[in-house]
Amino acid sequence: LALYDTGQTPMSEEKADFTKLTQQFFERTATFVEENRDKPFFVLLALTAPHIPLKPNPDDLTGSAGGDYGEVVEEIDLNVGRLLARLKELGLDEDTMVAFTSDNGPWFEGSSGPFRDRKGGSAWDGGFRVPFIARQPGTLPAGQVNSAITSNLDLLPTLLAMAGKPQVSDRELDGRDISAVLKDGAESPNDEIVVFDNAKVAAVRTSRWKYVARSYYRTYDVPLDRYPLLFDMDIDPGENYSVARNFPDAAADMRARLEKARAKYEPMAAAFPPHVAPASAADHPD
């Protein structure tokens, strides 16, 4: 477990007690909020749960029907509630936007519901489509549901806009400001979302269509350039049946979007090759 607060405490490292790790993350977050209650603050709370090893907290057992996985997920839920309650006690409830989301779908346990595949499945929604819940009483309307396409890349420009700060101007950001989506239920400012398999473009998604170009079968990474896969996400969110034959114009447009994304992003991988660990002293005894 490594904890670091810029300008406050030095880096510390210790062996993690996985049964208490989620609790510790939330307790440290609450402490940070209390220490900075009189000035603007930002917290990125990235939990290890529900990755394996699944070690439920014996002090927060709920008797979940989902076994150990369910227990650790419900512990997260309990602690989110406690953190929200603490924000209210501190008088910060209406001044703090809380966004709850994930970076990928389930892997070892858990369910991707009606969506195809899981984490590591390349292009399919089961590995990419995740919940996103935003809360700020008095600013964001309660109970609003929006199907606008967004991604975690949108968080930086959105938080800047909602904090009244200028947008980043010295570089290109892939994300867009979705504050109008959150506040007013507006349509997404994203014309498309590009989905990656590491450095390769795996799919492109628009509001209605998804064009898939890469998948996995057993241990094989399968490029699908010779087999156009176009899905109508309005009627087939499970990505079960390609309708490329039925909608050739849409398939051509989505294929063009895919090739444009490939041309833009994939050469970047050559500029940033994978990290190679330095040779050990044993390899170079002299």
Side-chain angles (χ1 to χ4, degrees):
L1 170 62
L3 297 175
Y4 182 69
D5 293 329
T6 302
Q8 293 190 16
T9 57
M11 180 73 76
S12 62
E13 187 172 349
E14 60 189 77
K15 186 176 180 180
D17 176 2
F18 282 97
T19 64
K20 297 291 185 179
L21 197 51
T22 293
Q23 176 183 323
Q24 290 173 358
F25 277 130
F26 276 95
E27 288 176 347
R28 186 67 192 93
T29 299
T31 299
F32 177 84
V33 168
E34 292 174 16
E35 293 172 347
N36 293 275
R37 59 186 297 184
D38 296 323
K39 57 185 177 182
F41 60 81
F42 171 81
V43 177
L44 174 60
L45 175 54
L47 302 173
T48 59
H51 287 87
I52 56 174
L54 298 170
K55 300 288 186 180
N57 186 341
D59 297 327
D60 260 341
L61 297 178
T62 62
S64 172
D68 285 353
Y69 184 91
E71 290 287 355
V72 298
V73 170
E74 292 183 11
E75 183 189 2
I76 294 171
D77 184 60
L78 288 170
N79 279 283
V80 169
R82 291 163 185 160
L83 182 58
L84 295 179
R86 188 62 183 136
L87 288 171
K88 189 170 185 178
E89 292 171 2
L90 293 170
L92 301 174
D93 195 39
E94 296 186 0
D95 294 327
T96 307
M97 174 180 163
V98 178
F100 183 94
T101 187
S102 177
D103 58 343
N104 55 255
W107 167 60
F108 196 68
E109 292 189 50
S111 171
S112 57
F115 306 117
R116 184 168 177 171
D117 221 314
R118 306 165 75 81
K119 175 185 176 182
S122 195
W124 309 107
D125 262 26
F128 286 91
R129 188 166 178 171
V130 296
F132 181 92
I133 304 169
R135 177 187 185 273
Q136 186 176 357
T139 298
L140 304 183
Q144 178 175 273
V145 178
N146 195 313
S147 59
I149 57 171
T150 62
S151 83
N152 285 355
L153 295 173
D154 297 327
L155 280 171
L156 173 56
T158 302
L159 294 174
L160 288 173
M162 295 189 69
K165 300 296 183 180
Q167 292 292 334
V168 175
S169 60
D170 63 343
R171 70 201 66 191
E172 179 185 0
L173 296 182
D174 292 319
R176 301 288 183 269
D177 172 16
I178 60 169
S179 55
V181 176
L182 300 178
K183 292 179 179 179
D184 307 317
E187 294 183 359
S188 174
N190 292 296
D191 181 52
E192 65 185 26
I193 299 289
V194 180
V195 174
F196 290 86
D197 171 16
N198 294 323
K200 300 292 186 180
V201 174
V204 175
R205 168 74 194 271
T206 63
S207 180
R208 178 179 178 182
W209 303 107
K210 177 136 173 233
Y211 194 94
V212 172
R214 303 188 75 86
S215 186
Y216 286 103
Y217 177 68
R218 296 185 177 177
T219 60
Y220 296 100
D221 181 9
V222 184
L224 299 169
D225 288 347
R226 297 182 182 179
Y227 186 63
L229 291 177
L230 177 74
F231 299 97
D232 186 340
M233 303 302 285
D234 286 345
I235 63 174
D236 183 22
E239 301 170 282
N240 297 298
Y241 304 102
S242 173
V243 291
R245 177 184 294 276
N246 308 61
F247 300 93
D249 290 343
D253 173 67
M254 295 298 290
R255 177 71 188 197
R257 290 172 182 266
L258 180 92
E259 293 300 341
K260 183 178 179 180
R262 280 176 167 171
K264 179 178 181 178
Y265 293 110
E266 292 190 3
M268 295 180 184
F272 301 95
H275 172 71
V276 177
S280 66
D283 295 330
H284 298 280
D286 296 335

